[in-house]
Amino acid sequence: MAVDKIRQAKEGVEAFSAGDWERFKAPLSSDAVYEEFGTQRRVQGPDAIVELGKGWRKAFPDVKGTITKAIESADTVVLEITWEGTHTGELVGAQGSIPATRKRVRVPAVQVVSFKGDKVAETKHYFDQMTMLAQLGVLPAPVTA
């Protein structure tokens, strides 16, 4: 029976939102890669991917991803996501740390999830880091037309 790739890709976002690390890790291949282009972080392996996820949830314990669109083509699923959460913990990243601001963020994102067989082999996560940092008050708000 073929794996429902859209369901499995959505499961990653839902398990992350619930902080259910076993469920989050289950669909990942043993050599899965996760890459965040906004932060320039790239990790490999289910344990490293879970640890990176835990860091985000430590900074935003109430974070929730709402999937607004899902498209499947061959071995790839693209998810359009809106992340929302309150920054109540230290946000640690490649560019340094941001102490808790207690501010809510709403950040648009896209994940490109590639499968090898019935397992997630790679997730590329594109999110609007500039908007997130502006909402946290650590950057000026972007100029709008």
Side-chain angles (χ1 to χ4, degrees), residues 98-110:
I98 301 169
T101 63
R102 308 263 182 260
K103 294 183 178 180
R104 279 203 59 78
V105 297
R106 187 172 198 272
V107 181
V110 170

Side-chain angles (χ1 to χ4, degrees), residues 66-133:
T66 302
I67 299 164
T68 54
K69 187 176 285 184
I71 301 167
E72 180 180 355
S73 178
D75 67 347
T76 302
V77 173
V78 178
L79 301 175
E80 189 172 32
I81 308 162
T82 301
W83 294 107
E84 295 181 87
T86 309
H87 181 219
T88 58
E90 183 179 24
L91 177 58
V92 180
Q95 296 88 3
S97 297
I98 301 169
T101 63
R102 308 263 182 260
K103 294 183 178 180
R104 279 203 59 78
V105 297
R106 187 172 198 272
V107 181
V110 170
Q111 285 187 357
V112 180
V113 183
S114 300
F115 288 80
K116 185 189 265 182
D118 64 348
K119 292 289 191 177
V120 172
E122 180 180 58
T123 301
K124 293 180 179 180
H125 195 169
Y126 301 86
F127 60 92
D128 189 348
Q129 183 179 16
M130 294 297 283
T131 293
M132 180 186 77
L133 294 174

